[in-house]
Each structure stands twice: as structure tokens, then as C-alpha cells.
Amino acid sequence: MRVYGGRVHRWTRWPLRITASVAALLLFDQAVYAGQFLAGTFPALHTHRENATFAGIAVLVAGAAAALVRWPGRGPVWPLFAFLGLFGLIAAQIALGFLRILALHIPLGVLIILGGLLLAAWSWRYRPAGEPS
Amino acid sequence: MSLSRRRLLGGLSAIGAASVAGIQILSGVRGSSSTGELLPSRRALPEPFTLPFRVPPVLSPVRSDATGDHYRVTQRAATAEILPGVRTPIWGYEGQFPGPTIRSVRGRRTVVTHRNELPVPVVVHLHGGHTPATEDGFPTDLLYPAGWTGAHEPMDGVMTHGSRDYAYPMAQPSATLWYHDHRMDFTGPAVWRGLAGFHLITDPAEASLALPSGDRDLPIMIADRSFDADGSLLYPSLDPTLLHTPGVREPYGSGVLGDVILVNGVPWPITEVPAARHRLRLLNASNARRYRLALDPPAPLVQIGADNGLLESPIRHDAIEIAPAQRFDVVVDFGRFRPGDVVTLRNEFGDRTTTPVMRFRVRPADGPDPSRIPDRPAAAPAPAGPVAVTRDLRFRHGTVNGMPGWTINGEPFDPGRAVAAPRLGDTEIWRLSSDFHHPIHLHLASFRVLSRGIAGPGAYDHGPKDTIDLRPAEQASILVRFTDHPGRYVFHCHNLEHEDMGMMGVFAVR
Ligand SMILES: [Cu+2]
């Protein structure tokens, strides 16, 4: 394992854990609202559309927290790119939803939620180098 | 096995799995443009654009007096030469498919005496008519054939024998309406056999609009059908007598799609038109098929009217998506083409045989074109009153009498139970949602589309409507005013297989 030199800012794990968990929850909510809409709850489609914006913002905030894990936290940089990539997928996902290309919108939504959950899980497992796990 | 080999295999498996998933996703990415199953014809079909286009004959009144214009229509079995050299048995108004066109003048009462010489009971509905309840063709108000010796189904309706009058006040704006059979459980096969025709309302006050008229005003009824080896119309009825067991055999419960496109009863016809503006009254009289109509070479379809009347301002479309029972009145300027040019009306939702619709060959105009496209075909509608009720109506697949069928708010059609009871004069918002394609039609009232999905009305939702095209997993809200007449009416999906298998409800205007 690569050992990061200098002081480890262990506190930087916590903003990431919180923001990544909130993002994962909001992403999962998209499936919940979609399900309610398909079950005939009329306002749920609007909620689905509004929550898409909040979920996108939450993923960007988690990306900022991931940047803290790297600077000053001296942790890995890939989570930052993972959140930015996830945000790119969300932008595409919103466009697909507006265009009603549902045959792509739904599988991509599953992938995005899976990505959000995996990143949140990683944030809780992550131990900075040198710390007993 | 070495670690690197394992990683290599793992990586290859991941790529393989991703490819399989990707191919699956992409192969179905376009979804379906219609909900239904294709019923292939069992015989060779004619070449498109070889048969002459025709306009259904206009019915003359048997009598015109102070009480209105009186017409007589006999519904009977007949044969028609739809495919060249082949006699196809049909059921027709006056033995014709399409039935004769009735032209009413706005404000003049029209009485149509229907005589039933078919082997089944019938119901006549004037689609888009603002009609008193007793004249609207409620699905259980059966007109039995004269001398009927069969059973009378104990249904909650008004029975008549031989013939009856349908009296229409025609106190509504000019519009392209159509009449068709509406008997409970058997509308799909009856319309498929030919029971459909145009009923146009004209308004002399609109002469100043200078819309294309006379032989430049073309009703265009588009309907898909399939043919058996002997040339008869093919339809998957469970009970071909259309008397006892309703429904179709699987897999056609989602809707029956034909592979022959008929325009006014002629497969893929061709016609000559002068190089001038024409009004095309597009009607989708198909049971389940949706079309996306466009001209080739491209030319604008300028919409001037919707289901229930003229628009406040014309809308230029490059293509028009039309669901079953909808009407779009469009003006096409063939003057933009050169004489000898060939212009094809195509269905961009079609496949091999269902893409071509009809063809126009442009000939020189015989004089100047006096027509124009008005800036304001109709006045803006009166502002809506306060909304009395907002209702949610969910159109879904479901179980009907233990069989797969179609439901509204989980319930199949029950002629004796009102889903809604609006007060006469009230304005309501109906919020509709769907699982598959459901073209939702309301009798009596015309409505305006307020929203579709999370946005405003779609491109094809403008103007006074009586049928809205709901696509899969879609929602829309409509503003309905229950005006003109109290009584018991239906609203239903106009995918006729869905309608026959439960997707209909009663509203009773108090
Ligand atoms: Cu339907």
C-alpha cells in the first residue's frame, strides 16, 4: 500500500462520509419517487424532477468533500474523479428523462444509484494510511 | 492459476457482461410507437400508390325542414373491393366503408335515422359531438336488428328494434367529427369490419377564413387492417359472431395492428392534386396504431384545427403524431411543388408496409389559389371558471373478470357505476396517468390540455380536444368543462381492444 507522507488530517473523512451518504440517499430516492409516479401518484413526477437537482448538487458537494480527503487529507484522489464522473452521468440522466428515452433512463438510473451507494460505502470503510483499522 | 491470469479473465468477463447488457439496452432503446401486436396478412398485398384515392360520398338529407336536416342510414353487411379483384365482406353504414360523410351546418339540428340490418345489435356514437345523453350512443343503449330473435342481454340500457333516430343539436363549433359503432365489448371488431364514417360540422360564418374548400377539402381516414388468405378482414375475435364472448385471443389483448394502411378504405392510394393549398382532415380511425405523419419531400403541415374545432392560431409542424380517434386539420400547400412532382404522406412510426400512407402527384393549378391560412382561425376560448374538482384517473393493465384486461383506477367498465359525477356547468381538472399508450377520449365535453409530464402541453395537444394521446408511463392534466347536457356518458381508452376489455368509465353529469 502506498504510504502518504506528512500529517494525516483524519477529520477529512467525516465531511465525505456525511455528504456521500446524503448523496446516496437522495439518489436512491429517485427510484422511490419514480415508483410512486408509476403507481399513479400524480405529484411524484414533479418530486422526481426536483429531487434530481438536489441529488446532483449533493453529488457535487460530496465531490468537494472528496477533494478535502486528498487535500489536505493526503488520501487518494480517485474518489474526487468518481464523484465528478457520477455528476456527469446525472446530467446525462436528466436529459434522458426530459427526452423520455426511458429505455436508457432506467438502466442508467440503476447504475448511478449503484455508484452512489458504492462510493458512500467506501467512505465509511476508508482508513487513512497508518491508522489501525 | 496465476494472479495476473485471473485478473485477465475477470476483466474479460466484466467486458463480456457489460457488452451483453449494453446490447440488450440498445436493442430496445426506441421502445414502441404503438401498444399492440402486429397481425400479419395471409395473402399478397398490392403495391403502394397504385390504387386511386377517393373521398367518401356525401350523404344527402332525405328531408330538410324547420326541425332540421334528416338523414337515413342503413347498417348492413356488404362486400367491398378493397384489394384489387377481391371481394371483402364488410359491415358498413349504407354498406360502405368508410360510411358516407354527413355534413351538418352549425346550429342546424341533424337527425340521422339508423336502421340495423346487421346480425348483431349496434350503437352509434358521434365522436366529438356535444350530444344529449340519450342520443350519444351509450354502450348499452342497443339498437337490435329488426326481427331479432336472439337473446336480449340484460344490460342497463335503452333497447330499440329495427331503427331509431339519433338527433344532434349541432350547437357546437365547426369540427371534423366521425361516427362509429360503440357497442359494449364489441366496438373493436365492429369498427374493424367497417362501421366508421366522417361527420363534418361546417360554419357558414367561417367562409371569410378562405380555407381551402370544395375538392380541396379532403377528409382522410387512416386505418390499418389485415387480410386473410381469402381476402376477408382478419381479426382475432374469440367469438367471430360478435354476440357472446368479448375479447381477442392472445397476444392481441394489447391492441390489434394491421399491416395494410387504408386511406378512406383504399390501400396506400394515389391522387392528383392541383398545385394549390389543400385542407387535409386527418383522422386516425385505427384500432390501436399511432402514426407520425410527414410529407416526403418535406413540407410543412400547418395545423388549423384539432379534434373539436379550429385553433386560435395555426401551428406549423414538420410531422404530426396522431393517436387513434384523434383528428388534425392541416393545410398543405402543394403550390410549393412543381407540376409532376410526387409527394408522399409517410408514417415515420411505420415499418416495411406501414410506412407508406398515400401519395399525391402535383398537376398544374387551374387558376389562382383563392385560399389562405388565416392568422386566427378561431376566437380564443372563454376563460375557464374556477376549478370545482380535481380528479386522478389511472389507466392501467389489470385483471378483468379473472382475465388480463384494462382498468381505470383499478376497475373495469361497469355501465351502472359512475366514476365521476360532475355538476352541469362545472370546470374540472382531470389528472390522467398511463402504463402503456392509451388515447383517452371523453364523450360530451371538449377539453384543453394543461400539462403533459412535467411541462406544458405537447406539440400535438393544442386547441379544443376530445382525445389525448397518453404515452407509456406518462401523465397529463386536462381542463374539462361539463357543459351543454346533463346525463350519463362514458370516457374511455380509444385503443379499441383496451376499450372492449374494460378500459371505460361512466361519468354522470348532474
Ligand atoms: Cu388503452
Side-chain angles (χ1 to χ4, degrees):
Chain A
M1 181 182 273
R2 185 172 161 196
V3 177
Y4 299 93
R7 193 178 156 212
V8 173
H9 293 267
R10 268 188 279 168
W11 61 269
T12 60
R13 287 176 296 166
W14 283 99
L16 181 65
R17 285 175 175 177
I18 292 162
T19 57
S21 302
V22 169
L25 183 68
L26 290 177
L27 288 172
F28 182 72
D29 280 345
Q30 285 302 86
V32 173
Y33 299 132
Q36 290 174 356
F37 152 63
L38 291 174
T41 305
F42 202 86
L45 185 63
H46 275 273
T47 316
H48 182 74
R49 191 261 163 279
E50 305 266 280
N51 190 61
T53 307
F54 299 136
I57 292 168
V59 165
L60 277 186
V61 171
L68 286 179
V69 165
R70 177 71 186 93
W71 305 287
R74 294 170 185 269
V77 75
W78 67 261
L80 168 60
F81 290 111
F83 278 111
L84 291 179
L86 196 59
F87 182 77
L89 289 181
I90 290 171
Q93 174 71 341
I94 290 176
L96 288 173
F98 270 100
L99 294 170
R100 279 182 48 84
I101 305 177
L102 301 182
L104 286 182
H105 185 76
I106 288 173
L108 182 57
V110 171
L111 275 187
I112 289 172
I113 293 169
L114 181 66
L117 289 172
L118 287 175
L119 284 169
W122 178 84
S123 76
W124 287 95
R125 286 210 320 270
Y126 168 60
R127 297 278 182 279
E131 181 183 312
S133 52
Chain B
M1 197 183 274
S2 73
L3 186 64
S4 66
R5 206 144 143 227
R6 215 137 103 200
R7 287 186 80 139
L8 179 68
L9 280 177
L12 287 176
S13 313
I15 291 169
S19 313
V20 170
I23 288 166
Q24 282 177 329
I25 290 172
L26 290 177
S27 65
V29 72
R30 288 177 59 219
S32 295
S33 54
S34 300
T35 295
E37 279 291 325
L38 183 71
L39 178 65
S41 289
R42 296 175 181 160
R43 57 173 295 130
L45 301 173
E47 279 292 301
F49 319 129
T50 54
L51 298 166
F53 171 82
R54 60 183 165 82
V55 169
V58 174
L59 194 66
S60 303
V62 290
R63 182 162 56 91
S64 286
D65 55 28
T67 65
D69 298 322
H70 297 256
Y71 295 87
R72 205 163 280 156
V73 172
T74 301
Q75 306 187 25
R76 55 183 167 85
T79 57
E81 187 177 336
I82 299 171
L83 306 174
V86 181
R87 311 299 297 174
T88 298
I90 61 159
W91 286 357
Y93 297 111
E94 294 289 283
Q96 299 162 19
F97 170 49
T101 298
I102 299 175
R103 275 182 171 268
S104 288
V105 176
R106 181 180 186 181
R108 251 191 90 67
R109 186 166 173 266
T110 296
V111 182
V112 186
T113 305
H114 275 269
R115 181 173 169 76
N116 181 7
E117 295 183 358
L118 289 167
V120 297
V122 297
V123 172
V124 182
H125 171 57
L126 175 60
H127 185 120
H130 301 191
T131 307
T134 53
E135 316 299 305
D136 190 56
F138 192 82
T140 54
D141 286 351
L142 302 177
L143 169 58
Y144 284 90
W148 175 257
T149 54
H152 292 90
E153 296 290 324
M155 285 203 285
D156 177 27
V158 178
M159 270 188 285
T160 43
H161 288 83
S163 63
R164 66 156 282 178
D165 288 352
Y166 288 93
Y168 306 115
M170 293 300 166
Q172 67 183 91
S174 67
T176 301
L177 310 187
W178 63 301
Y179 62 107
H180 61 80
D181 196 64
H182 212 302
R183 177 166 58 115
M184 180 172 164
D185 293 341
F186 295 100
T187 295
V191 172
W192 187 270
R193 288 182 192 200
L195 292 177
F198 279 103
H199 191 144
L200 311 179
I201 307 179
T202 58
D203 187 343
E206 283 164 4
S208 61
L209 295 178
L211 287 165
S213 61
D215 53 10
R216 295 180 183 178
D217 176 354
L218 303 175
I220 293 184
M221 176 193 285
I222 302 172
D224 60 338
R225 294 290 185 269
S226 295
F227 291 87
D228 208 341
D230 61 0
S232 61
L233 289 163
L234 196 56
Y235 188 85
S237 283
L238 291 175
D239 172 10
T241 68
L242 309 190
L243 284 173
H244 309 292
T245 311
V248 291
R249 68 185 145 76
E250 286 307 319
Y252 297 102
S254 59
V256 180
L257 304 175
D259 57 4
V260 178
I261 304 299
L262 303 181
V263 176
N264 295 340
V266 181
W268 309 287
I270 181 165
T271 187
E272 276 207 342
V273 286
R277 274 179 289 273
H278 283 68
R279 176 181 188 169
L280 310 184
R281 298 175 185 259
L282 303 170
L283 157 64
N284 181 356
S286 308
N287 283 31
R289 184 177 290 281
R290 295 168 71 250
Y291 301 80
R292 184 179 162 87
L293 300 172
L295 293 169
D296 176 26
L301 300 158
V302 181
Q303 186 190 355
I304 51 158
D307 301 334
N308 234 255
L310 295 172
L311 302 181
E312 295 90 71
S313 50
I315 302 171
R316 188 193 143 116
H317 298 281
D318 294 321
I320 282 180
E321 294 179 14
I322 182 168
Q326 290 190 315
R327 284 90 68 215
F328 286 83
D329 272 24
V330 300
V331 173
V332 171
D333 186 4
F334 290 105
R336 62 191 290 130
F337 298 103
R338 282 190 311 274
D341 280 358
V342 158
V343 183
T344 306
L345 184 65
R346 294 175 75 247
N347 168 26
E348 294 180 346
F349 283 160
D351 52 24
R352 201 172 50 80
T353 65
T354 54
T355 297
V357 177
M358 71 171 290
R359 179 166 282 178
F360 304 90
R361 185 178 292 120
V362 181
R363 64 173 158 82
D366 16 20
D369 184 355
S371 75
R372 58 187 172 82
I373 297 173
D375 293 330
R376 295 187 62 78
V387 173
V389 183
T390 297
R391 300 181 197 275
D392 281 323
L393 296 144
R394 297 179 291 275
F395 297 84
R396 296 250 182 288
H397 193 264
T399 305
V400 176
N401 304 324
M403 307 263 288
W406 299 93
T407 62
I408 301 173
N409 287 354
E411 299 288 337
F413 180 50
D414 175 352
R417 181 180 54 87
V419 177
R423 275 187 318 232
L424 186 64
D426 267 6
T427 300
E428 300 194 347
I429 288 178
W430 285 22
R431 305 195 299 184
L432 319 171
S433 64
S434 65
D435 56 354
F436 292 97
H437 292 96
H438 297 300
I440 303 305
H441 169 48
L442 270 66
H443 289 210
L444 175 68
S446 78
F447 58 79
R448 300 268 163 172
V449 179
L450 296 176
S451 71
R452 175 183 287 278
I454 51 177
Y460 314 110
D461 292 334
H462 296 284
K465 303 286 286 178
D466 58 44
T467 309
I468 180 173
D469 178 24
L470 282 186
R471 295 172 297 177
E474 191 163 51
Q475 63 182 39
S477 55
I478 59 173
L479 186 74
V480 200
R481 232 189 114 204
F482 294 91
T483 166
D484 297 336
H485 308 288
R488 184 174 73 152
Y489 293 89
V490 289
F491 66 103
H492 59 91
C493 178
H494 224 288
N495 174 317
L496 298 182
E497 285 71 40
H498 296 190
E499 175 187 339
D500 283 344
M501 282 169 269
M503 197 170 259
M504 179 147 62
V506 171
F507 65 90
V509 182
R510 294 173 284 154

